[in-house]
């Protein structure tokens, strides 16, 4: 078992829940760009809304750490985009995990074709992770809004998709973060309950993945090892990876 503190070493550090965090879930846009070659067989028709995200209240997006479900489902997310592993597309097509890609414009710039191909060919969903990956907590509202909105604007222009799910870098946020995300058209701010690092799945509680867990990994040099570790761990724990977007609709 790896404690939540271990996740603070991942580069997107954990953040303890506050009263705004919701144990429910809701979906975002359904997986983007599905084409006939994408593996869509699953426990339900992927791309259909299964749950609704809580509404925006007091001008702030809801904070989602995990999905409440009695189904054996688990959700994969991938952050940043710093390393463009050439095998990522093939791995995702072979395993049909339909992740959310929470990307930074500073990493996507110059590699738009790489990420667009993944989005178009795997049923992945595009998420907003800010332009330059700063620690937003404590920063002025306008700084935070610009980081989030510019990331979404750039992706809409360069990738043809505007994200509506947001993840704060390092998992750090404040009330301004949640307000800025709402102002930029986000519908939810998404954290995580498990992470994969150096080919090892780490848990914030317990010693296995559980139904409703949102798993964090990164586009790193260890992409293949991390991705494979997630797939094998989900199988061992009797869970099926499904699109998080379907549960944040």
């Amino acid at each position: 078992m790896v404690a939540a503190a271990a996740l603070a070493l991942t580069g997107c550090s954990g953040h303890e829940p506050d009263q705004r965090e919701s144990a429910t879930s809701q979906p975002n846009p359904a997986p983007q760009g599905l084409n006939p070659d994408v593996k869509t067989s699953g426990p339900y028709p992927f791309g259909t809304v299964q749950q609704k995200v809580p509404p925006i209240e007091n001008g702030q997006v809801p904070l989602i750490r995990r999905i409440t479900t009695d189904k054996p489902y688990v959700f994969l997310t991938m952050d940043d985009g710093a390393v463009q592993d050439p095998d990522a597309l093939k791995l995702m097509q072979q395993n049909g995990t339909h992740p959310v890609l929470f990307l930074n414009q500073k990493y996507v710039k110059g590699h738009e074709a790489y990420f667009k191909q993944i989005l178009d060919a795997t049923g992945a969903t595009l998420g907003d992770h800010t332009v330059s990956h700063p620690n937003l907590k404590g920063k002025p509202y306008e700084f935070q809004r610009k980081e989030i909105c510019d990331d979404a604007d750039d992706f809409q222009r360069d990738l043809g998709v505007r994200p509506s799910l947001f993840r704060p870098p390092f998992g750090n946020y404040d009330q301004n973060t949640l307000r800025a995300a709402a102002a930029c058209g986000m519908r939810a701010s998404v954290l995580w309950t498990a992470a994969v690092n150096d080919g090892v799945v780490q848990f914030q509680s317990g010693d296995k993945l559980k139904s409703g867990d949102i798993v964090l990994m990164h586009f790193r040099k260890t992409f293949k090892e991390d991705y494979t570790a997630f797939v094998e761990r989900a199988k061992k724990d009797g869970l099926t990876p499904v699109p998080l977007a379907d549960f944040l609709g």
Side-chain angles (χ1 to χ4, degrees):
M1 179 178 98
V2 179
L7 297 186
L9 304 177
T10 67
C12 284
S13 64
H15 185 97
E16 289 303 311
D18 65 14
Q19 31 300 40
R20 285 197 51 78
E21 295 198 32
S22 172
T24 64
S25 61
Q26 278 131 347
N28 228 17
Q32 286 126 220
L34 289 179
N35 67 35
D37 297 323
V38 176
K39 178 182 177 182
T40 57
S41 59
Y44 66 87
F46 289 166
T48 60
V49 173
Q50 301 298 299
Q51 293 186 35
K52 286 287 188 179
V53 70
I56 291 173
E57 295 182 354
N58 300 317
Q60 300 176 11
V61 296
L63 197 63
I64 307 298
R65 179 177 291 273
R66 67 187 318 275
I67 301 300
T68 297
T69 177
D70 59 359
K71 305 293 185 182
Y73 299 158
V74 67
F75 308 91
L76 181 62
T77 63
M78 300 176 179
D79 280 15
D80 302 351
V83 176
Q84 297 84 43
D85 189 297
D87 294 325
L89 174 62
K90 180 176 67 175
L91 288 169
M92 284 185 251
Q93 286 179 316
Q94 288 174 343
N95 293 280
T97 49
H98 305 290
V100 178
L101 312 185
F102 288 105
L103 301 177
N104 304 112
Q105 195 267 350
K106 73 172 185 177
Y107 295 126
V108 172
K109 192 170 182 61
H111 303 282
E112 290 86 355
Y114 172 86
F115 291 105
K116 190 173 191 320
Q117 185 179 31
I118 289 177
L119 291 167
D120 289 346
T122 68
T125 298
L126 179 62
D128 189 315
H129 198 40
T130 73
V131 171
S132 62
H133 204 278
N135 184 348
L136 295 175
K137 187 174 182 179
K139 298 293 193 303
Y141 171 81
E142 281 303 322
F143 174 90
Q144 299 199 42
R145 188 195 62 77
K146 183 171 176 57
E147 279 282 340
I148 299 169
C149 285
D150 284 3
D151 201 48
D153 292 344
D154 290 342
F155 290 161
Q156 184 171 25
R157 181 187 67 243
D158 297 337
L159 300 178
V161 179
R162 185 178 182 84
S164 60
L165 292 177
F166 170 68
R167 170 168 284 160
F170 310 104
N172 292 337
Y173 67 94
D174 58 22
Q175 301 307 303
N176 279 337
T177 313
L178 304 181
R179 288 176 51 227
C184 295
M186 302 298 118
R187 299 198 295 172
S189 183
V190 181
L191 300 181
W192 61 91
T193 48
V196 194
N197 292 287
D198 297 324
V200 177
V201 180
Q202 302 172 330
F203 315 101
Q204 288 186 344
S205 64
D207 58 359
K208 65 179 182 179
L209 291 175
K210 299 176 288 295
S211 295
D213 274 345
I214 297 173
V215 181
L216 163 71
M217 63 171 284
H218 294 80
F219 283 91
R220 290 175 172 162
K221 292 181 180 179
T222 56
F223 184 95
K224 183 176 181 179
E225 293 86 347
D226 293 348
Y227 185 85
T228 301
F230 165 76
V231 171
E232 292 179 349
R233 185 78 230 189
K235 183 177 181 181
K236 179 178 180 179
D237 294 336
L239 300 173
T240 300
V242 301
L244 178 60
D246 292 351
F247 289 76
L248 295 174

